[in-house]
Amino acid sequence: GAVVSQHPSWVICKSGTSVKIECRSLDFQATTMFWYRQFPKQSLMLMATSNEGSKATYEQGVEKDKFLINHASLTLSTLTVTSAHPEDSSFYICSASPSARGTGELFFGEGSRLTVL
Amino acid sequence: KQEVTQIPAALSVPEGENLVLNCSFTDSAIYNLQWFRQDPGKGLTSLLLIQSSQREQTSGRLNASLDKSSGRSTLYIAASQPGDSATYLCAVSPWHAGKSTFGDGTTLTVKP
């Protein structure tokens, strides 16, 4: 398999602060990574596609100025929730696919639980 | 627009039973189909990947089939165990780096 690491696993912050979540592919390179949001007992909601060296592509309805995505290298993408509010509390998950394999198989991070007070 | 449906939404079986989870998709132009497992509060674990040219994949007690023309996939779990209790999701991708479409999942409970 392939390993994707997400950090932090959980974070609690005050309303109005910004939080950064990291997604790293530990043993492969990924040109593209994906960020999702998941509400309790619901499936994944794709937020954006993170592209190495270029701007992320956001899904309709996702505020790009609020959810800043940076994909500075082939092994790291970050999601920054800016000026977080309680409604941003959620489970955020990233995924990546080894570019070299060409199979499109997705590997997921462990997820990050964000709680905004 | 691709749509993925998983039936049933929830399933409860006694330990040792063989079971089948279903996944259907509306657009047969897929690159691959992937089955995942998600435990509560965790990320997704890849179980099986089936490329569009393949009919099935096996891993241990798991067997996944793909009928692309009819837009269906099944995940067969043999001799279920309590540790198999989790939510199982299927996802289809239109190309190797494309956005996958996920089903809502089937929540499986295996009772000892």
Side-chain angles (χ1 to χ4, degrees):
Chain A
V3 181
V4 175
S5 177
Q6 214 173 313
H7 179 80
S9 300
W10 57 270
V11 56
I12 301 173
C13 69
K14 293 182 179 180
S15 185
T17 60
S18 295
V19 174
K20 180 185 285 188
I21 301 170
E22 293 186 346
C23 179
R24 291 182 184 273
S25 54
L26 299 186
D27 52 2
F28 65 93
Q29 294 183 332
T31 306
T32 302
M33 293 184 176
F34 301 95
W35 286 96
Y36 311 81
R37 187 172 178 177
Q38 187 176 36
F39 293 103
K41 298 188 183 299
Q42 294 188 22
S43 191
L44 303 174
M45 183 189 80
L46 180 66
M47 299 175 64
T49 302
S50 174
N51 303 298
E52 186 269 337
S54 64
K55 292 182 180 180
T57 304
Y58 290 83
E59 294 300 298
Q60 190 172 9
V62 178
E63 299 176 59
K64 61 181 181 180
D65 293 331
K66 181 167 191 58
F67 298 99
L68 300 179
I69 291 174
N70 183 275
H71 195 152
S73 76
L74 289 172
T75 59
L76 174 64
S77 176
T78 60
L79 168 68
T80 301
V81 183
T82 63
S83 186
H85 291 283
E87 57 266 30
D88 299 323
S89 298
S90 190
F91 192 57
Y92 294 88
I93 317 176
C94 68
S95 73
S97 179
S99 303
R101 294 186 190 180
T103 62
E105 184 171 9
L106 288 175
F107 296 93
F108 281 78
E110 308 94 326
S112 299
R113 172 78 57 193
L114 171 63
T115 301
V116 184
L117 302 177
Chain B
K1 177 186 175 185
Q2 179 74 271
E3 293 182 0
V4 179
T5 303
Q6 290 188 246
I7 295 173
L11 180 64
S12 180
V13 300
E15 182 177 4
E17 192 164 297
N18 302 326
L19 59 101
V20 175
L21 306 181
N22 298 291
C23 172
S24 62
F25 46 96
T26 55
D27 187 348
S28 62
I30 64 170
Y31 186 80
N32 65 39
L33 183 144
Q34 198 167 355
W35 282 93
F36 298 91
R37 166 188 175 135
Q38 185 176 29
D39 293 289
K42 303 291 185 181
L44 278 65
T45 300
S46 178
L47 297 174
L48 290 164
L49 172 74
I50 310 178
Q51 300 294 345
S52 62
S53 59
Q54 299 174 324
R55 298 298 296 269
E56 66 176 341
Q57 285 288 331
T58 299
S59 176
R61 294 182 293 110
L62 305 179
N63 175 277
S65 69
L66 174 64
D67 184 341
K68 199 173 71 166
S69 61
S70 67
R72 294 180 181 178
S73 176
T74 61
L75 178 66
Y76 174 82
I77 302 177
S80 58
Q81 303 171 357
D84 295 331
S85 298
T87 297
Y88 291 80
L89 297 98
C90 69
V92 295
S93 181
W95 61 293
H96 72 89
K99 298 183 297 185
S100 293
T101 302
F102 287 80
D104 288 337
T106 294
T107 298
L108 172 66
T109 302
V110 181
K111 298 180 179 179

